[in-house]
Amino acid sequence: MRTAEPHTARAQTTCGPGGEPANAHARTGELHAVRAQAIGGPSEKATEAQHARGKLTARERIGLLLDEGSFREVEQLRRHRATGFGLEDKRPYTDGVITGWGTVEGRTVFVYAHDFRIFGGALGEAHATKIHKIMDMALSAGAPLVSLNDGAGARIQEGVSALAGYGGIFRRNTRASGVIPQISVMLGPCAGGAAYSPALTDFVFMVRETSQMFITGPDVVKAVTGEEITQNGLGGADVHAETSGVAHFAYDDEETCIAEVRYLLSMLPQNNREYPPRLPCADPRTRRSQALLDLVPADGNRPYDMHQVIEEILDDGDYLEIHERWARNIICALGRLDGQVAGIVANQPQALAGVLDIEASEKAARFVQMCDAFNIPVITLLDVPGFLPGIDQEHRGIIRHGAKLLYAYCNATVPRISLILRKAYGGAYIVMDSQSIGADLTYAWPTNEIAVMGAEGAANIIFRRQIAHSNDPEATRAHLIKQYKTELMHPYHAAEHGLIDDIIDPTHTRETLIAALTMLHTKHTDPTHRKHGNPPQ
């Protein structure tokens, strides 16, 4: 049996500052002092400088994101081991990134946050290793990962070791894609290769004026092309939310931005093996909406706001729109029906008449893929006149980009329900989750028009000779258009041919969709055995 003597001997070799044997009280006091130094950061002056930029500190941000008192930090006392360029004299605790886990509304969430006060948040070897570890932990635990980004890129003094750290992050982003939700919150500059990690994640949040993303900054752009532009003009929040589509959300301040991250997390499952959390719902599932009878004009040429239709259908009219300001001719949103999360894809007649173009196809395709990855049913609301015609669209590859949306729907195994409100013309009708590409249930309102194209265009092609040889071409054209509508575009034509499951009273839409989702909740599809598909790019 072992005795206590070896333990006593070891205790005597550990001495305090004056040479006297240290005890647990002294060591605990030392630990608290070291921890206070790590939590406090480099200096009060550095904190004031961060606040002067209009930005919160990394720990303040984590405090807003996670439930109070829930954060558990990992490798708080980590320090870099690099030498040269004065680094050996600057070895702050945390090495400029705070990593750990906590809860959001009681559910586990992993987080890492760059601390701009330390090396400008730049990534070094130890910094990267901490991020790698927390990413691996998130994937192993099957919980979402949120990155609070405020860093100046790779730590130049550490050379290629810093660059390799980014490679490890990208590889883990890719491995976690579709397995756990990954959310990037841009709260400062993000330049060069560092921008690719957010681009690999599921959602990107940005804050106006203080966050930017670009591969090459304004100085490089000016040197190479002669173009002059500011950082915000090149890669600010509004640019990426409206023009490039890189950012899904843009907000005026950090507090609102982080609050919306919490809201988004409430709509997502922990991982791809779970369903999103279902909430109690006070909005009656059988609630009927008379307003729907007036919101959508029967005249297919009159615009209306699809947001109002969505609000009438969803629980309490509440939803979170994704990519709200990019590709506005299509709406992608997360909302609830009887407490169950659903993804909404809807044409927006107020923008470009709701046509599909390159940007709309890409936006909807990525959204459908995200929903499918995380077990979120997809409801598609159709009012689409077709694909946007034009030389620019054709030359930029509308065929290739439109095929992305087609592929995403065909590949999705979650419950899929489509509802045709009004127009559904041509290839766009097929692409927008028609029954022929695998929609589980297809409904239509009595105002629906499903056809290869509009009656006017169809009549001009089919009856062009009759019209040309008529004594009164305009009268003949009007008569033939009416005939085409009567024979092929009446609301019941598609139902008679089994292309839709039912024509419903618009006021019953909410009840119908909830009943369908309830039935499809246990849907199971055995995937085709393959390494992976080869979707259009």
Side-chain angles (χ1 to χ4, degrees), residues 37 42 78-93 95-96 117-119 155 157-158:
Q37 182 180 346
R78 184 72 177 259
R79 299 199 290 183
H80 73 76
R81 297 173 291 182
T83 59
F85 305 102
L87 284 177
E88 61 272 15
D89 299 323
K90 298 178 181 178
R91 301 181 63 234
Y93 294 115
D95 199 46
R117 301 172 302 169
I118 298 175
F119 299 125
R155 195 173 299 170
Q157 299 94 321
E158 294 194 30

Side-chain angles (χ1 to χ4, degrees), residues 1-10:
M1 178 180 292
R2 297 181 62 185
T3 67
E5 292 181 358
H7 296 275
T8 303
R10 281 201 297 271

Side-chain angles (χ1 to χ4, degrees), residues 68 209 221 261-262 282 322 329 335 340-341 438:
E68 186 176 357
E209 301 304 323
V221 170
V261 174
R262 285 177 59 93
I322 315 297
N329 43 323
Q340 180 180 347
V341 176

Side-chain angles (χ1 to χ4, degrees), residues 125-406:
E125 183 179 18
H127 182 122
T129 302
K130 289 181 64 176
I131 295 175
H132 296 167
K133 180 173 183 174
I134 210 66
M135 295 179 79
D136 290 341
M137 290 175 69
L139 191 58
S140 296
L145 174 70
V146 178
S147 63
L148 303 175
N149 298 273
D150 186 7
R155 195 173 299 170
I156 300 172
Q157 299 94 321
E158 294 194 30
V160 71
S161 296
L163 289 177
Y166 275 122
I169 294 174
F170 302 157
R171 179 163 56 88
R172 287 168 173 83
N173 283 139
T174 303
R175 191 172 66 188
S177 180
V179 181
I180 58 172
Q182 298 180 84
I183 299 173
S184 297
V185 189
M186 315 311 297
L187 301 166
C190 185
Y196 282 114
S197 176
L200 289 168
T201 60
D202 300 299
F203 300 97
V204 176
F205 287 73
M206 294 189 73
V207 176
R208 295 184 181 91
E209 301 304 323
T210 58
S211 65
Q212 302 87 29
M213 296 175 67
F214 38 69
I215 299 301
T216 53
D219 293 340
V220 176
V221 170
K222 182 179 179 180
V224 175
T225 70
E227 300 170 294
E228 293 191 20
I229 193 168
T230 64
Q231 286 195 348
N232 280 320
L234 181 63
D238 288 326
V239 168
H240 287 310
E242 296 180 14
T243 305
S244 72
V246 170
H248 299 78
F249 306 94
Y251 298 100
D252 291 330
D253 57 81
E254 293 190 16
E255 291 84 355
T256 303
C257 179
I258 294 174
E260 290 299 292
V261 174
R262 285 177 59 93
Y263 181 43
L264 173 61
L265 285 167
S266 74
M267 297 276 195
L268 300 175
Q270 291 293 90
N271 54 63
N272 66 339
R273 300 183 302 277
E274 298 183 9
Y275 292 102
R278 185 165 190 160
L279 300 182
C281 178
D283 193 350
R285 60 184 297 159
T286 57
R287 171 176 58 80
R288 296 181 180 177
S289 175
Q290 294 295 322
L292 291 175
L293 294 172
D294 300 314
L295 284 177
V296 180
D299 181 357
N301 294 318
R302 288 180 56 193
Y304 62 93
D305 188 357
M306 183 66 81
H307 290 105
Q308 295 180 319
V309 176
I310 295 171
E311 290 168 8
E312 286 293 324
I313 295 171
L314 296 179
D315 293 352
D316 302 311
D318 189 31
Y319 61 93
L320 177 64
E321 186 168 354
I322 315 297
H323 268 143
E324 178 181 0
R325 297 164 60 196
W326 180 59
R328 298 189 184 204
N329 43 323
I330 201 160
I331 297 170
C332 297
L334 293 172
R336 282 188 165 88
L337 280 161
D338 197 33
Q340 180 180 347
V341 176
I344 307 295
V345 179
N347 306 109
Q348 172 57 296
Q350 275 196 339
L352 295 176
V355 298
L356 286 179
D357 61 0
I358 289 173
E359 285 77 17
S361 299
E362 289 187 332
K363 171 180 170 179
R366 185 82 194 282
F367 180 74
V368 170
Q369 288 174 174
M370 184 280 298
C371 289
D372 188 48
F374 295 118
N375 305 311
I376 300 172
V378 178
I379 296 173
T380 306
L381 306 179
L382 283 86
D383 191 347
V384 60
F387 282 94
L388 180 65
I391 296 172
D392 176 68
Q393 288 285 305
E394 296 292 347
H395 285 187
R396 288 172 55 204
I398 183 63
I399 296 172
R400 176 167 50 87
H401 294 286
K404 294 178 183 179
L405 180 55
L406 180 61

